[in-house]
Amino acid sequence: MMVRIFTTLMALMMTATFSLAQQGPLRIEITEGVIEPLPFATPNFVAENGSSAEMGVQLTRVVAADLQNTGLFREIPATAYISSVTDFGSAIQYPDWKAINAQALVTGAVNVSGNNLTVKFRLYDIFSGAELGNGLQFQGTTEGWRRMAHKVADAVYSRITGESGYFDSRVVFVSETGPKNKRQKRLAVMDYDGAGVKYLTDSRSLVLAPRFSPTGDRVLYTSYETGFPRIYVLDVGSVQRRLLESGEGSISFAPRFSPNGQTVVYSQATGSNTDIYTMDVASGRSTRLTSAPSIETAPSYSPDGNNIVFESDRSGAQQLYIMSANGGEAKRISFGQGRYGTPVWSPRGDLVAFTKQSKGRFHIGVMRVDGSEERLLTASFLDEGPTWSPNGRVIMFHRETQGAGGRSTLYSVDITGRNLRPVRTPEGGSDPSWSPLQK
Amino acid sequence: MLFGGIFRTEQLPIEATEVSVISGEAFAALMAAQDSPTSQSEVAQPAQPVADSEAVDVPAPETTPEQETPESAPAPSADDTPDVSELTPLPDAEVSDAAPVLPTPEPEVTVDAPETSETPVPQTSVRVAPEAVIAPDPEARPDPVEQDAVQQAETGETVAEPQEETAPEEAATEIVTEAEKPAAAPEKSLRPPPRRPTRRAVQAAEASEPAAEPLALEQSGSSAVDDALAETLGQVTETPSAPSGPPLSAGEKDALRVAVQDCWNVGSLSSLALETTVVVAVSLTQDGKPVVSSIRQVGSEGGTSASVKQAFEAARRAIIRCGVRGFQLPSDKYDQWKDIEMTFNPERMRIK
């Protein structure tokens, strides 16, 4: 009873205080919102001449698919449109788009002249009744029409979300065919969405773990061409490669570039011991970073190049550690049940993605670099090999199904754990590595 | 000769054991010399099984191999305890010619128990909102404002303007990742239904059933205090200290807050924008509709100029979208709500 009397008095005092304080406008605080895809409309880009019509439709579809595949946007079907856009320069009928609950409108125009392609677009905030940013125009060749569509989508994504896009990027991966006991593997590169696959090697020798350079023009990978794993650097444009020499009588694997592209960090096994080394790409001079009798592997640089996250079984089970890029004492960051491996540092620098094996299942997860806030995003028979999108918002990995006929497929998932979706490739795929945004 | 190489006739070794014969007296003497096993009255109880602590991130000793934590042993039910009562002496038998009357069987008491554990299944949805919403009727158009459909009468006279049925979109209260979705396989094997409770157990349960009366009294007492509190607060709010007219009640302000937050979509905001708080001012018309040109940013905290812009755009969209039919506000208090400052704080909506 005393409590209620006290509460009553406090309420009276607060009310009286509030009454005196409310001299200005009414003030409220909103702390809970909703998370749902933002509805947008993308009428087919206007064809500025007769030969542009088909290109306009194709380009519009790629832009819409890019946005919709993020899970952050929802395309309103064209059948719901009240008004149409037949002229790129005409005024927008905002009430018509507002009526179908479109919150963003992307309009564009396409002009094909010989081998030249010009694409321009505008983005409108329907409920503000204004254009969001200025219109942009891209010029290129008709062969590069998908890249131009990705660039339009990147610009739209960036203006609405406030963070850079990731559509005009590529993924290098291991293309797989055949049954598990006789699987043929070769390196391939594709657009982030699985289109435009090109093969970089043949399937005569086993290849593993391709990794893009920070500029996206080179790929590091491990090949068993000589019977032992060796690290090669491949120029994506010319498809020329060269061997990165390592110590005699040793096996080297799991390479990854430093953020400046001048150093490669990798694992080297000598006898029964595996340690982490760096190699200067220009001089070929290598430096040993760890010297524990345990297995240290899967190193990955932080975006600033000052630290390296790696996996080690030095404590008896496979866990994640962070050390200085120059070596030295390592700090353990994973403490959960199960085994942790293949850590990859986020391009934003705040998270580490990893593979976790626990209770017979594999997970792709993320944690902060201090090991806190671990979140498992996926769960399956075998999920492995995470790689970050250039903006650090999406993780791609590969998932293998059970059984002798099991197939390995690339998947992507948002870091919130939503929007898990397969990446369609002509054959099976594993070991993806995402490039930076193309220039 | 054909099978000669396979079926060889080698002599198998024979084991021989020496046996000695002793007399019956000698055997008895031999047995008596051995100690008889002592009877152990109490069997050592197994250690209490440790509850599964999967969710706790405590570093386990890594050298210890992972073991399946055994399930907790089921607690013994009341039926396992035997009913003990003193036996009374049997009375003398009375012999009569009347046919025996069969006793009426008591109605069988059954206990319906679920055969499988009902693990709460997290609701998944494309939309995440503070309150979960079940999937609406497919005929209903998604809209924050729920309305029944109004159709033309058969007579041709329209009672009300035809209105499409609307309903809030399906929503879950949290993001459910694939790793959190429960597997379809049952986690426990089917358990046999429990035994019927004995008459003694039923009586005990009836006796221990709490009475509902005291709770009702407590509720009515609480209500009386709340009524008094509300009455007192009402008197205070009606004091002439307010600048113009009666202020909005807490409930009215809550209703406004809920109306705006239903349209505040932060799903497409960057992580930096989710760390940015913006204060947005808006003027409303007398029918509760926002004046779009009046929406302006009057303050912000955290983030960069770009993230402030993103956060403001999301806030502006929320006000316009959910205010398109006018916010439900008391018209007699218009002076109190014609100008509003809304603080959009996304702290709870961040990606964690």
Side-chain angles (χ1 to χ4, degrees):
Chain A
M1 196 60 192
M2 287 296 292
V3 173
R4 296 202 65 80
I5 292 171
F6 178 74
T7 308
T8 307
L9 290 173
M10 286 298 291
L12 291 172
M13 289 172 64
M14 288 173 65
T15 308
T17 308
F18 180 77
S19 299
L20 291 172
Q22 192 182 326
Q23 298 295 330
L26 173 66
R27 292 184 175 88
I28 63 170
E29 183 173 21
I30 318 287
T31 56
E32 303 260 17
V34 297
I35 298 174
E36 59 183 342
L38 187 140
F40 73 99
T42 319
N44 283 335
F45 284 13
V46 177
E48 293 192 336
N49 53 33
S51 57
S52 308
E54 187 181 347
M55 179 65 77
V57 174
Q58 289 179 337
L59 217 138
T60 309
R61 288 299 86 217
V62 172
V63 172
D66 280 350
L67 296 173
Q68 178 129 325
N69 288 348
T70 62
L72 306 181
F73 302 91
R74 174 172 58 83
E75 186 187 16
I76 296 172
T79 52
Y81 294 174
I82 297 171
S83 65
S84 58
V85 177
T86 54
D87 184 358
F88 183 65
S90 63
I92 299 300
Q93 302 299 316
Y94 289 106
D96 289 349
W97 299 106
K98 199 181 288 186
I100 61 171
N101 199 31
Q103 294 184 37
L105 172 68
V106 183
T107 65
V110 178
N111 188 317
V112 177
S113 175
N115 194 33
N116 295 323
L117 172 64
T118 304
V119 180
K120 46 192 172 185
F121 84 97
R122 290 186 187 280
L123 173 64
Y124 299 92
D125 184 341
I126 296 301
F127 281 86
S128 296
E131 191 175 353
L132 199 56
N134 295 324
L136 275 182
Q137 175 173 305
F138 301 98
Q139 285 184 316
T141 61
T142 50
E143 288 82 21
W145 70 271
R146 291 193 97 258
R147 277 202 63 193
M148 292 168 79
H150 290 321
K151 283 201 174 294
V152 171
D154 274 330
V156 172
Y157 178 95
S158 176
R159 289 180 184 184
I160 294 178
T161 66
E163 60 191 14
S164 61
Y166 57 89
F167 310 122
D168 186 25
S169 61
R170 305 171 88 186
V171 173
V172 63
F173 65 104
V174 176
S175 178
E176 300 188 355
T177 54
K180 275 185 181 177
N181 58 357
K182 198 181 177 182
R183 188 156 286 178
Q184 293 189 320
K185 299 186 175 187
R186 50 182 170 165
L187 290 190
V189 66
M190 64 179 186
D191 290 359
Y192 94 98
D193 56 359
V197 173
K198 291 177 182 171
Y199 297 99
L200 302 176
T201 65
D202 56 34
S203 55
R204 282 181 296 184
S205 54
L206 184 67
V207 288
L208 293 173
R211 302 285 179 254
F212 261 119
S213 68
T215 48
D217 57 346
R218 292 170 296 163
V219 169
L220 281 170
Y221 69 100
T222 306
S223 172
Y224 279 76
E225 190 175 323
T226 61
F228 295 96
R230 284 279 190 273
I231 298 172
Y232 292 84
V233 187
L234 184 140
D235 186 280
V236 179
S238 64
V239 202
Q240 297 295 313
R241 57 168 197 167
R242 73 179 174 92
L243 176 69
L244 273 187
E245 293 293 345
S246 55
E248 281 297 320
S250 61
I251 295 170
S252 44
F253 53 98
R256 205 181 280 273
F257 277 106
S258 65
N260 63 12
Q262 295 172 1
T263 308
V264 172
V265 63
Y266 62 99
S267 294
Q268 184 170 304
T270 307
S272 60
N273 185 25
T274 301
D275 277 306
I276 293 173
Y277 290 72
T278 56
M279 179 184 289
D280 185 85
V281 177
S283 66
R285 186 170 51 85
S286 63
T287 307
R288 184 172 180 169
L289 298 186
T290 63
S291 56
S294 48
I295 294 175
E296 277 76 37
T297 186
S300 171
Y301 276 101
S302 61
D304 60 8
N306 292 331
N307 294 289
I308 292 173
V309 61
F310 62 99
E311 66 175 67
S312 169
D313 63 354
R314 61 180 63 180
S315 60
Q318 207 172 303
Q319 298 289 344
L320 304 185
Y321 295 81
I322 288 178
M323 66 177 174
S324 164
N326 299 318
E329 190 176 352
K331 180 187 173 189
R332 181 172 160 181
I333 62 167
S334 64
F335 293 96
Q337 293 179 343
R339 291 189 289 174
Y340 295 79
T342 65
V344 192
W345 214 305
S346 157
R348 294 179 183 172
D350 55 346
L351 296 173
V352 169
F354 56 84
T355 302
K356 180 175 182 176
Q357 188 182 2
S358 178
K359 296 182 179 176
R361 297 193 45 94
F362 279 77
H363 306 270
I364 299 296
V366 293
M367 64 170 68
R368 295 209 166 270
V369 293
D370 60 1
S372 64
E373 297 182 22
E374 175 182 325
R375 282 184 289 126
L376 300 181
L377 310 179
T378 72
S380 88
F381 167 69
L382 178 57
D383 285 350
E384 209 167 17
T387 181
W388 288 95
S389 63
N391 66 352
R393 176 75 197 216
V394 180
I395 291 173
M396 194 180 288
F397 61 98
H398 74 261
R399 168 170 291 183
E400 187 150 333
T401 49
Q402 204 166 358
R407 178 187 160 98
S408 187
T409 308
L410 300 183
Y411 274 79
S412 66
V413 65
D414 191 271
I415 57 167
T416 58
R418 309 178 88 199
N419 199 37
L420 176 76
R421 56 173 56 239
V423 180
R424 303 292 178 196
T425 52
E427 300 167 342
S430 66
D431 256 340
S433 173
W434 216 315
S435 81
L437 271 182
Q438 300 187 81
K439 302 295 180 189
Chain B
M1 282 300 290
L2 184 63
F3 300 103
I6 300 173
F7 301 105
R8 292 177 182 171
T9 55
E10 289 179 5
Q11 290 295 324
L12 294 172
I14 299 172
E15 288 185 6
T17 306
E18 289 185 5
V19 179
S20 62
V21 179
I22 60 172
S23 65
E25 291 79 6
F27 178 74
L30 191 67
M31 294 304 293
Q34 293 181 2
D35 293 333
S36 58
T38 55
S39 62
Q40 186 78 28
S41 59
E42 290 182 3
V43 179
Q45 295 296 315
Q48 191 68 19
V50 181
D52 193 0
S53 58
E54 185 184 346
V56 182
D57 288 332
V58 178
E62 292 168 5
T63 52
T64 307
E66 288 186 15
Q67 293 182 350
E68 288 291 330
T69 306
E71 288 185 9
S72 300
S77 64
D79 292 351
D80 294 337
T81 308
D83 293 339
V84 180
S85 57
E86 289 186 5
L87 296 175
T88 53
L90 288 171
D92 294 337
E94 292 180 2
V95 180
S96 109
D97 294 336
V101 180
L102 287 173
T104 307
E106 291 183 358
E108 189 173 348
V109 181
T110 59
V111 179
D112 294 330
E115 291 187 331
T116 56
S117 61
E118 293 179 354
T119 309
V121 178
Q123 184 184 345
T124 59
S125 174
V126 176
R127 185 169 185 264
V128 179
E131 292 180 7
V133 179
I134 59 171
D137 190 297
E139 293 293 320
R141 179 170 61 84
D143 195 281
V145 182
E146 188 173 2
Q147 291 183 338
D148 291 331
V150 177
Q151 295 173 343
Q152 263 187 330
E154 290 181 357
T155 57
E157 296 174 0
T158 51
V159 180
E161 190 180 345
Q163 166 67 45
E164 193 179 352
E165 184 185 0
T166 61
E169 281 190 73
E170 181 186 6
T173 55
E174 59 188 328
I175 293 173
V176 181
T177 69
E178 191 195 23
E180 292 166 334
K181 288 178 186 169
E187 293 182 355
K188 291 181 179 177
S189 61
L190 297 179
R191 311 293 295 178
R195 293 169 60 187
R196 283 187 300 150
T198 61
R199 189 183 303 172
R200 178 182 293 269
V202 171
Q203 287 172 349
E206 286 173 355
S208 63
E209 205 167 285
E213 290 301 320
L215 180 63
L217 286 173
E218 181 65 26
Q219 284 174 341
S220 65
S222 170
S223 175
V225 174
D226 285 342
D227 291 345
L229 178 62
E231 192 178 344
T232 313
L233 287 173
Q235 289 170 357
V236 171
T237 53
E238 286 166 10
T239 54
S241 61
S244 56
L248 266 64
S249 68
E252 289 163 344
K253 283 201 281 189
D254 274 345
L256 175 62
R257 180 163 45 238
V258 169
V260 177
Q261 75 183 19
D262 276 352
C263 291
W264 185 36
N265 181 11
V266 299
S268 59
L269 290 185
S270 68
S271 52
L272 198 55
L274 287 174
E275 295 173 2
T276 306
T277 297
V278 289
V279 183
V280 180
V282 58
S283 299
L284 303 183
T285 60
Q286 284 200 325
D287 54 358
K289 293 180 180 175
V291 179
V292 175
S293 59
S294 73
I295 301 175
R296 64 196 183 283
Q297 179 194 318
V298 294
S300 69
E301 185 181 337
T304 62
S305 58
S307 69
V308 169
K309 186 171 180 294
Q310 308 299 330
F312 170 66
E313 296 293 347
R316 179 161 70 170
R317 276 195 291 268
I319 295 170
I320 297 173
R321 275 183 65 209
C322 274
V324 71
R325 291 194 177 92
F327 293 112
Q328 298 297 311
L329 291 162
S331 55
D332 58 325
K333 299 177 183 177
Y334 176 61
D335 282 345
Q336 292 292 330
W337 52 259
K338 65 180 179 182
D339 294 312
I340 307 178
E341 277 187 13
M342 301 183 188
T343 301
F344 291 83
N345 183 355
E347 188 177 353
R348 295 185 190 175
M349 306 300 292
R350 286 177 195 155
I351 301 170
K352 290 178 180 174

